[in-house]
Amino acid sequence: MISLLLPSLLALLTVAQPPAPTPRSRTFTFDYAATIPAQPAGTKAVDLWLPVPHDDKSQQIRDLQVTSPVPYEIKTGAYGNRILHLRATGEALQGFTVDMRLRATRREHLALVLNGQRPPREAPDPNLRRWLAADSLVPLDPQIRLWALEVATKAQAKTDLEKARAVYEHVVSTVKYDKTGQGWGRGDIYYACDARRGNCTDFHAVFIGYCRALGIPARFSIGFPLPPERGTAEIKGYHCWAEFYTPETGWVPVDASEAAKNPDRRNYFFGAHDENRLEFTRGRDLVLVPRQNNPALNYFIYPYAEADGKPLTGVKQAFRVQDVVKK
C-alpha cells in the first residue's frame, strides 16, 4: 500500500514546489582604462594596482585582454579578489596608460527561498567569521549594537531573516540618497546614522553594520552600475551592494540604496540584484597583492598607485560598457 501511495505523494510535492523564476541576463564588453601622468624628476618607481572582476555564480568573465607598456601580473588576494599589479620605471615614468578589456555575462541574482524555492546548497564561505567582524568605518561598539537591537525589537523580529528585513526597511525608510555636502561616500556608519543621507556606500555601511551587530554575517561588494538601456555608454562612477547570510537561506542579495531611489522596487531589492551591474571586489579594509606601502584601502574599485611608496594622485580613469547584440 505504501509503495502505491509513494508516487502520488512525490507528485504532490513536485506540484507544491512553484517554478523557479528565470533570471534575466546580459552579455557585454567592459573597458577599464587607467592613465598614470608623467612623474617629477627623481621618481624611481610607480606601482599601480587595478581590480580585476572575478567569476562567481552571478557573473562569468571571459576574453580578458590587458594592454600595457609595462609588464604586469594578476594575483588573487583576500576574499577571492583578483588584482592586477605592475611596477613602472625608466621611460614609463613619463606617463602611460593601461587598458583592460573583457567580456562578461551577468545574471540577475535572485534569492530563491524568498520565491518559495529551496536554496541551492552553497560551498561554505571560508570568510564567514570575517563577515561578522567590524570594519574601520563600521565599528561594532555598544552604541551600534544598541541601535541595531532597537530596530529588530521594534519590528518584533525573531529569526535572522526577519531581523535582516527589519534592518533593510529601517535603512530604506530613514536614509536619503543625497550626494551633497561633505562626508558622504566613505561608508562611515556614524556619518550615515547622523546625517541620514549619502550614497550606496553609506546605505550599506548601516545595513551591514546593523546585521553584524545582530549576529548576522553580511558582506560588502563593489563594482560598476550598467545603464538599463542596452547599447554603449560611459560609466561615471561605482556602485556597491550587500548580501547577508543565514543557514536557512544561504546568501541573500540586498540593494538598499537602489530601493531608496526606486520605491516601487523596494520589495525586489530585498532578495535580488539585477543584472545591470558588474562586480569587481568584495570586502573593505583591503590589503592588496603585493601589499601596498600605505594603510589598507577602504574599498577597491578605482586605480590605486604609489610613487616611491607614497600615494599617487592625478591618476585618470575611464570606464565604458558595450552590450553584445545576439544575432
Side-chain angles (χ1 to χ4, degrees), residues 111-173:
L112 295 182
V113 70
L114 301 185
N115 291 283
Q117 296 288 317
R118 297 184 184 90
R121 184 178 296 275
E122 298 185 22
D125 187 336
N127 302 300
L128 203 58
R129 292 183 64 181
R130 170 63 185 92
W131 308 132
L132 281 168
D135 295 318
S136 295
L137 294 178
V138 186
L140 298 180
D141 57 33
Q143 181 63 74
I144 298 301
R145 295 184 189 279
L146 176 61
W147 286 340
L149 182 60
E150 287 175 347
V151 168
T153 301
K154 183 178 180 180
Q156 298 182 339
K158 304 300 183 185
T159 68
D160 284 350
L161 181 59
E162 291 171 343
K163 292 175 183 178
R165 183 64 188 244
V167 171
Y168 172 82
E169 295 295 342
H170 170 77
V171 173
V172 176
S173 297

Side-chain angles (χ1 to χ4, degrees), residues 101-297:
R101 181 181 175 87
L102 57 93
R103 181 184 176 106
T105 296
R106 177 77 193 190
R107 289 187 300 276
E108 185 181 22
H109 181 187
L110 300 171
L112 295 182
V113 70
L114 301 185
N115 291 283
Q117 296 288 317
R118 297 184 184 90
R121 184 178 296 275
E122 298 185 22
D125 187 336
N127 302 300
L128 203 58
R129 292 183 64 181
R130 170 63 185 92
W131 308 132
L132 281 168
D135 295 318
S136 295
L137 294 178
V138 186
L140 298 180
D141 57 33
Q143 181 63 74
I144 298 301
R145 295 184 189 279
L146 176 61
W147 286 340
L149 182 60
E150 287 175 347
V151 168
T153 301
K154 183 178 180 180
Q156 298 182 339
K158 304 300 183 185
T159 68
D160 284 350
L161 181 59
E162 291 171 343
K163 292 175 183 178
R165 183 64 188 244
V167 171
Y168 172 82
E169 295 295 342
H170 170 77
V171 173
V172 176
S173 297
T174 63
V175 183
K176 180 181 179 181
Y177 193 89
D178 181 355
K179 299 191 293 185
T180 60
Q182 301 292 322
W184 63 270
R186 299 177 64 236
D188 182 333
I189 191 171
Y190 271 108
Y191 165 82
C193 288
D194 179 49
R196 289 291 158 187
R197 61 182 177 84
N199 75 344
C200 54
T201 323
D202 307 304
F203 273 77
H204 294 111
V206 182
F207 177 81
I208 290 171
Y210 279 19
C211 280
R212 291 176 179 176
L214 293 169
I216 304 169
R219 63 191 186 190
F220 171 93
S221 292
I222 194 166
F224 290 100
L226 310 180
E229 304 80 13
R230 300 325 194 230
T232 301
E234 300 290 333
I235 307 298
K236 300 301 183 183
Y238 70 81
H239 182 49
C240 66
W241 48 91
E243 295 173 279
F244 70 89
Y245 178 86
T246 78
E248 296 75 25
T249 62
W251 285 104
V252 176
V254 165
D255 197 328
S257 58
E258 283 300 293
K261 291 192 292 182
N262 301 279
D264 58 329
R265 304 192 77 191
R266 182 166 175 161
N267 284 332
Y268 172 81
F269 282 116
F270 183 83
H273 290 148
D274 59 31
E275 75 279 17
N276 302 319
R277 61 190 70 208
L278 178 62
E279 182 174 306
F280 272 70
T281 57
R282 182 171 289 157
R284 300 181 62 179
D285 296 338
L286 294 175
V287 173
L288 305 179
V289 180
R291 186 184 181 98
Q292 71 269 35
N293 191 58
N294 289 274
L297 301 186

Side-chain angles (χ1 to χ4, degrees), residues 36 39 43-48 68-71 85-96 98 306-308:
I36 299 293
Q39 297 302 296
T43 302
K44 296 179 180 178
V46 167
D47 287 277
L48 173 66
S68 170
V70 179
H85 170 260
L86 60 81
R87 168 164 284 199
T89 58
E91 293 183 2
L93 296 179
Q94 298 305 308
F96 64 93
V98 177
E306 294 179 346
D308 294 338

Side-chain angles (χ1 to χ4, degrees), residues 16-90:
Q17 180 82 351
T22 302
R24 295 186 296 266
S25 67
R26 68 189 295 182
T27 298
F28 51 91
T29 58
F30 196 90
D31 286 277
Y32 183 121
T35 300
I36 299 293
Q39 297 302 296
T43 302
K44 296 179 180 178
V46 167
D47 287 277
L48 173 66
W49 292 263
L50 304 180
V52 180
H54 52 263
D55 288 328
D56 64 22
K57 64 182 180 181
S58 296
Q59 65 183 35
Q60 281 75 48
I61 309 300
R62 312 185 288 282
D63 303 330
L64 178 67
Q65 299 177 350
V66 178
T67 303
S68 170
V70 179
Y72 66 90
E73 59 181 357
I74 297 177
K75 302 262 186 170
T76 300
Y79 321 129
N81 293 327
R82 300 175 69 204
I83 301 166
L84 182 152
H85 170 260
L86 60 81
R87 168 164 284 199
T89 58

